[in-house]
Amino acid sequence: MYRCISKIPKKYEGTSKKLLIIIGGSFMSPVHERCPYKVCYEALNDRVVVGGGDKKYGGSAMKKIYDILNLCFLFAGVYYEFNLWKILPEKIPVHFTLGGVPNRWANKGVEIILIFCMPWAMAVFMYSIAKLARRYPTLLSVPRKQEFLALPSQQQEPLWLLIDEMMAGMAFAIIILFIGIIRFIEKAATGPVSGLSWEFMLSFGFFIVLAIAYVVKLNVKYKEILRNASQ
């Protein structure tokens, strides 16, 4: 008999590896390949199959790429900020006009440290939104919400995966944006500037384009799920 659960039952904890069959590296059970849970098992002659999601339901490749990029850029940012701190003057511009002219200065201290920490804080915030959306789906503000929430979890899953990917992508865009801001602060603090830097403009443009692209993708995916469910 086959059952799906959210974790391996206690009676199978500590099972010999010879009795624990893991299907490849994709965590896919051939018996129940669309299981919405992270772990599935099949109790048959004390044989355990760990599964729970194929490529379609196990997280997108793009999400994994964003995860790696986010970690790389966050730690690269720490290295850059650590070295930048050594060369920054005591007075630093912390606010600018739309034309890129500094209009507020501050001592090198808490404010610039908070700016340095913003990429990490925003990354945590974006990933948390994805987690909270899954945990509290009733908070979604979408048309035909009750119809969507009534669907089996397998049919909902593509939307949740796209939301996961979107939040990881937006976290990446925000990290790049704040690195562009910090780079502009460095230029303004160490010399005259004329207008906004190309790094800031490029990172801001990337953020806007990515946000619009994912809003469109989410809208298309949501309508597709409801359309398929009604057929």
Side-chain angles (χ1 to χ4, degrees), residues 129-199:
I129 289 177
K131 296 293 184 183
L132 288 172
R134 277 182 178 269
R135 187 166 184 178
Y136 304 103
T138 54
L139 296 178
L140 286 177
S141 179
V142 292
R144 302 167 63 185
K145 179 169 68 174
Q146 295 306 319
E147 183 180 344
F148 173 75
L149 295 178
L151 295 175
S153 56
Q154 298 98 319
Q155 291 178 272
Q156 296 180 15
E157 188 65 9
L159 184 73
W160 299 126
L161 290 178
L162 186 56
I163 290 175
D164 289 344
E165 181 186 310
M166 175 185 177
M167 292 300 105
M170 295 312 300
F172 174 63
I174 291 172
I175 292 167
I176 296 298
L177 178 60
F178 270 97
I179 289 176
I181 291 172
I182 294 168
R183 174 65 178 154
F184 183 61
I185 289 174
E186 175 192 358
K187 287 184 176 181
T190 56
V193 291
S194 57
L196 298 171
S197 67
W198 68 266
E199 295 101 329

Side-chain angles (χ1 to χ4, degrees), residues 93-105 184 188 192-197:
V94 292
H95 195 272
F96 302 84
T97 66
L98 292 176
V101 178
N103 58 6
R104 190 166 73 83
W105 297 70
F184 183 61
V193 291
S194 57
L196 298 171
S197 67

Side-chain angles (χ1 to χ4, degrees), residues 25-28 33 52-61 64 161:
S26 62
F27 301 103
M28 153 93 91
E33 62 185 25
D54 54 16
K55 290 182 180 178
K56 185 175 181 181
Y57 293 104
S60 70
K64 295 173 184 176
L161 290 178

